[in-house]
Amino acid sequence: MKYLTKDELAAMLRVSVRTVTAYMSKGLLPQPLQLGRKLLWSEEAVIQFIQPKPVLANHTSGPVKRGRPRKVVVV
């Protein structure tokens, strides 16, 4: 099992180290293993975590309506 440092993880995801830190705070990455002051991520866990999840076929939501709602005229 291979473990990645923050720099290696950033290179793998093709983002900056600062972006990895932001992803951590938003919960977009799996929890790292902490050894002293060093954070390490399991490469397998990261790959499983970032793979796209299957979408349910019967989930049909229409487009999101934005803006101010129209006035309803009752006659």
Side-chain angles (χ1 to χ4, degrees), residues 1 3-4 7 9 11 13-14 16-17 24-25 28 39 42 44 50-52 55 59-60 62 65 70 73:
M1 183 180 302
Y3 287 96
L4 304 169
D7 291 331
L9 181 60
L13 299 175
R14 296 182 182 167
S16 68
V17 176
M24 285 173 47
S25 67
L28 298 176
L39 297 174
S42 165
E44 294 172 11
I50 63 175
Q51 283 182 342
V55 179
H59 183 307
T60 56
K65 294 186 178 181
R70 295 184 179 191
V73 179

Side-chain angles (χ1 to χ4, degrees), residues 1-50:
M1 183 180 302
K2 184 177 177 184
Y3 287 96
L4 304 169
T5 63
K6 193 184 277 191
D7 291 331
E8 293 170 337
L9 181 60
M12 179 181 152
L13 299 175
R14 296 182 182 167
V15 296
S16 68
V17 176
R18 196 168 179 172
T19 302
V20 171
T21 305
Y23 286 172
M24 285 173 47
S25 67
K26 293 178 182 178
L28 298 176
L29 292 173
Q31 288 295 318
L33 173 69
Q34 187 168 1
L35 293 175
R37 297 179 74 182
K38 189 173 256 190
L39 297 174
L40 300 172
W41 286 265
S42 165
E43 185 177 32
E44 294 172 11
V46 170
I47 290 171
Q48 287 179 353
F49 196 82
I50 63 175

Side-chain angles (χ1 to χ4, degrees), residues 71-75:
K71 258 186 185 174
V72 177
V73 179
V74 179
V75 180

